[in-house]
Amino acid sequence: MQLIAVCVLTTCVFACDAADLIESTSKDRKAFANKPFSAVLVEYRRDSTDANKKTRIYLSPMGIRTERLSVQNGEPELIVIKNHHTKQVWLINPVQHYFSELPNDKTKETQRVIEGEKKPLLGVLANEPCYGMMAEKQSDRAIGDSELSVWRCLDGDGKQHLQHFSTLLGVVIRQEFQDGRISELQDIAFIDDSGKYFQPSSDMQQITIEELFTGRVTLPDFVE
């Protein structure tokens, strides 16, 4: 059971890591797009064209959906859905078509662990540039009725970051770290706000957290 708990907590870190894309270090602050959209968050280094990690994101007032993409085939390996309306969190195995709802106590437990560590700076998907840091606007250019601006941010440790902010989406779409790391949204596309992205598919089977992480699924009793 202890091993299962560790596995649950470890993968929940991905859920909270994904949540860091949405939620700032301020407890009650969440990111919302001006228009519901999807994109691929790509993380890489300035001196390399190889992406370290790719995550497909769906963002709307309904919630957030993150899909960790496989390096081998680009298909989702693990899906995390946070529904802002129902306040539910689901972890989904898209390969096996299983999903499990994360209990509220696990969500709180995981959040306490994350809050006990140093959180990464809020960057991509933030609703304002340089949130929580000193900000200086470097440039801007008009794109139709919207604006794309570049900001220089200075954090509390004296490190500088560049952030690109889109008024059309209402979020930061690119962040460049001083050490050469870059996170940016690519393949941006608007989506409908029907809510279909923010709940598990009806053709998936619901299982327990333990079954999701151990792979041992309990079959229902056979009835003649």
Side-chain angles (χ1 to χ4, degrees), residues 36-37 57-66 80-84 86 88 90 191-200:
F37 72 90
I57 297 168
Y58 298 84
L59 181 63
S60 95
M62 290 286 294
I64 172 77
R65 177 190 182 106
T66 61
V80 179
I81 297 176
K82 297 185 69 175
N83 189 305
H84 295 326
T86 65
Q88 292 172 286
W90 294 285
I191 60 174
D192 64 77
D193 199 21
S194 63
K196 64 183 179 182
Y197 301 103
F198 308 109
Q199 58 186 10

Side-chain angles (χ1 to χ4, degrees), residues 119-134:
K119 283 192 172 185
L121 290 169
L122 181 69
V124 174
L125 295 188
N127 285 122
E128 59 184 84
C130 303
Y131 175 73
M133 297 180 280
M134 294 180 60

Side-chain angles (χ1 to χ4, degrees), residues 99-118:
F99 76 92
S100 181
E101 182 176 348
L102 193 64
N104 288 333
D105 59 337
K106 290 292 183 186
T107 304
K108 293 176 182 177
E109 176 187 351
T110 303
Q111 191 61 32
R112 283 197 297 270
V113 172
I114 296 301
E115 288 176 351
E117 302 172 355
K118 185 177 180 181

Side-chain angles (χ1 to χ4, degrees), residues 11-136:
T11 303
C12 284
V13 167
F14 170 73
C16 289
D17 192 32
D20 279 330
L21 301 174
I22 316 152
E23 299 180 13
S24 74
T25 52
S26 176
K27 181 179 178 182
D28 299 320
R29 203 179 153 82
K30 295 181 180 179
F32 292 101
N34 287 343
K35 296 182 178 181
F37 72 90
S38 67
V40 176
L41 174 63
V42 181
E43 300 174 62
Y44 60 97
R45 298 194 64 86
R46 186 179 294 109
D47 56 1
S48 173
T49 57
D50 297 329
N52 295 331
K53 185 167 61 174
K54 290 186 177 182
T55 306
R56 182 177 292 115
I57 297 168
Y58 298 84
L59 181 63
S60 95
M62 290 286 294
I64 172 77
R65 177 190 182 106
T66 61
E67 301 179 355
R68 186 174 64 193
L69 303 181
S70 167
V71 177
Q72 285 73 30
N73 57 25
E75 295 297 318
E77 293 180 321
L78 176 66
I79 299 174
V80 179
I81 297 176
K82 297 185 69 175
N83 189 305
H84 295 326
H85 287 190
T86 65
K87 305 199 182 300
Q88 292 172 286
V89 178
W90 294 285
L91 305 183
I92 298 173
N93 182 328
V95 178
Q96 300 296 329
H97 288 271
Y98 296 147
F99 76 92
S100 181
E101 182 176 348
L102 193 64
N104 288 333
D105 59 337
K106 290 292 183 186
T107 304
K108 293 176 182 177
E109 176 187 351
T110 303
Q111 191 61 32
R112 283 197 297 270
V113 172
I114 296 301
E115 288 176 351
E117 302 172 355
K118 185 177 180 181
K119 283 192 172 185
L121 290 169
L122 181 69
V124 174
L125 295 188
N127 285 122
E128 59 184 84
C130 303
Y131 175 73
M133 297 180 280
M134 294 180 60
E136 181 184 356

Side-chain angles (χ1 to χ4, degrees), residues 163-215:
Q163 291 188 355
H164 299 231
F165 182 79
S166 166
T167 59
L168 176 63
L169 298 178
V171 298
V172 172
I173 62 172
R174 176 184 170 97
Q175 173 160 283
E176 302 174 33
F177 294 88
Q178 193 170 355
D179 62 5
R181 289 177 295 131
I182 297 175
S183 300
E184 67 179 9
L185 297 181
Q186 299 180 359
D187 302 327
I188 299 172
F190 294 118
I191 60 174
D192 64 77
D193 199 21
S194 63
K196 64 183 179 182
Y197 301 103
F198 308 109
Q199 58 186 10
S201 174
S202 59
D203 64 352
M204 289 189 171
Q205 179 184 350
Q206 183 169 7
I207 59 177
T208 66
I209 283 285
E210 289 79 6
E211 290 173 329
L212 185 73
F213 291 108
T214 62

